[in-house]
Amino acid sequence: MISTSSTALAKCSCSRRRTSKTSVSHSQTCPAPWKGDLEAVVRVLAEKRWPWRLHATYDETIGRALDVFERVNRDIPLEGIHWFFDHAETVGERNLERIAQLGGGVAIQHRMAYQGEYFVERFGAKAAQRTPPFKRMLELGVPVGAGTDATRVASYDPWTSLHWLVTGETVGGTRLYPRENRLDRHKALELYTKANTWFSNEQGLKGQIAVGQLADFAVLSNDLFAVPDADIREIVSMLTVVDGRIVYGDGEFKSLDPDLPAPMPDWSPVNFGSRYWKEPERAAAMSAASLPCAVHRHQAVRQSPVGDNEAFWGALGCSCWAF
């Protein structure tokens, strides 16, 4: 994996700093030693037909990387290697066309579901309408896979991501995308299942409930195709099977739930009754049951109900754990 941020790609031997106003002229006038380094790595990968992924958020970064990829492609065709960009929130039309021409893909994550309001504040609502332009990627024939980038950027909960793809809304309720950059529920689910197999070179092996494919499936608490938009985020798995083996059970399948090894570290909330809770009140109550507060001497960390802004330490109760 080549993991490269826009900041790293913009580094050079001169003292000018990358800004939105100078990025183009900077790339044209400043020597970029990183290009030679990147080209050397990509040439080795291309010669061996090893796929790679490059993390890039900004269109400027993607354009610079594509300059290198196109140079390699003239000598070693990249088609069929299944290389791709991660993130690509601000990728532009021309660079999408270049990705398509080189046979690359884009793996998208729902970072904007959490950061959308900040993006709008900084760049404006119009710029946020295509962050990323996943509908246009599909129209151009670019392979697109969806994920969460958990847990560095967002929750690992896939239903928050599926809600974002379908509604175009942040978790705070801000509508980012017009209808032309949103997906129907079938397509959104496909990006999470069948479409992702392109990125791991496992087409036909998994991603569908079909004869001959791995037995990976989940029995859900609600029907994705029937619940209101707002309820997509509330869906949970009641039974999860991976390669034919039950790895999780709840509700009527609780008796099938396998024992888990003790999580590390020992103070993890998972050790006190919670794997993952969608309801903040329940999550706070469960995670607070671990140890008494060593500062204030009470037995549970959380002392006041969520929403009680006048209570000790404000709306979320005592925050001793954060000291």
Side-chain angles (χ1 to χ4, degrees):
M1 179 181 72
I2 306 173
S3 181
T4 314
S5 68
S6 57
T7 301
L9 278 182
K11 286 182 178 178
C12 64
S13 58
C14 77
S15 59
R16 292 179 61 184
R17 296 180 62 188
R18 176 191 182 278
T19 68
S20 59
K21 294 182 179 179
T22 64
S23 57
V24 175
S25 60
H26 187 212
S27 65
Q28 293 172 343
T29 61
C30 177
W34 64 263
K35 286 188 176 182
D37 295 339
L38 180 60
E39 182 174 342
V41 172
V42 171
R43 281 188 178 277
V44 171
L45 296 173
E47 288 170 354
K48 295 183 178 295
R49 311 305 289 174
W50 289 346
W52 69 88
R53 61 196 301 172
L54 192 149
H55 292 241
T57 292
Y58 294 106
D59 187 51
E60 296 91 338
T61 306
I62 292 169
R64 295 173 186 179
L66 287 171
D67 291 343
V68 174
F69 296 172
E70 287 171 342
R71 190 156 54 247
V72 174
N73 183 68
R74 287 194 287 268
D75 300 324
I76 311 169
L78 304 184
E79 182 69 37
I81 296 182
H82 292 205
W83 64 271
F84 58 98
F85 286 104
D86 269 297
H87 312 312
E89 276 86 1
T90 68
V91 64
E93 181 74 11
R94 176 61 189 127
N95 281 336
L96 278 181
E97 293 172 353
R98 296 169 74 190
I99 293 171
Q101 290 167 1
L102 291 173
V106 180
I108 61 173
Q109 296 82 29
H110 67 315
R111 303 195 297 180
M112 288 294 289
Y114 292 87
Q115 302 173 15
E117 285 84 357
Y118 298 104
F119 189 97
V120 170
E121 181 180 347
R122 185 172 184 181
F123 299 108
K126 184 173 178 58
Q129 291 180 357
R130 288 165 48 97
T131 52
F134 41 78
K135 192 77 170 287
R136 182 57 179 155
M137 295 173 187
L138 294 169
E139 291 172 352
L140 289 171
V142 174
V144 180
T148 63
D149 205 24
T151 56
R152 295 175 64 88
V153 174
S155 165
Y156 59 79
D157 182 3
W159 302 104
T160 300
S161 184
L162 286 162
H163 176 268
W164 165 74
L165 288 168
V166 169
T167 67
E169 293 181 0
T170 69
V171 294
T174 299
R175 173 65 58 82
L176 296 175
Y177 311 138
R179 183 166 298 278
E180 55 267 27
N181 194 37
R182 304 202 306 263
L183 303 178
D184 63 44
R185 301 185 191 198
H186 286 87
K187 195 63 179 181
L189 185 61
E190 181 183 322
L191 295 194
Y192 246 89
T193 52
K194 180 183 177 181
N196 270 331
T197 63
W198 182 90
F199 296 82
S200 57
N201 283 280
E202 294 177 296
Q203 302 98 308
L205 178 63
K206 61 183 183 180
Q208 295 176 287
I209 299 177
V211 175
Q213 297 203 16
L214 297 179
D216 299 348
F217 64 89
V219 178
L220 304 178
S221 58
N222 295 97
D223 183 353
L224 168 64
F225 304 109
V227 298
D229 285 350
D231 291 342
I232 293 175
R233 288 175 55 192
E234 302 307 315
I235 294 175
V236 295
S237 174
M238 306 305 293
L239 178 72
T240 305
V241 177
V242 178
D243 196 15
R245 182 170 61 90
I246 295 174
V247 297
Y248 175 78
D250 199 7
E252 62 182 292
F253 303 105
K254 184 65 176 177
S255 62
L256 302 176
D257 192 33
D259 293 332
L260 293 175
M264 297 175 64
D266 56 7
W267 48 260
S268 169
V270 178
N271 280 316
F272 303 97
S274 170
R275 289 191 183 181
Y276 173 78
W277 299 112
K278 289 179 182 288
E279 306 90 340
E281 294 85 355
R282 193 176 184 189
M286 295 304 297
S287 63
S290 55
L291 296 172
C293 170
V295 177
H296 303 106
R297 305 299 176 186
H298 52 68
Q299 291 302 305
V301 172
R302 180 174 176 270
Q303 291 291 293
S304 58
V306 172
D308 184 357
N309 292 304
E310 302 301 322
F312 181 53
W313 286 108
L316 295 179
C318 179
S319 299
C320 302
W321 57 271
F323 274 58

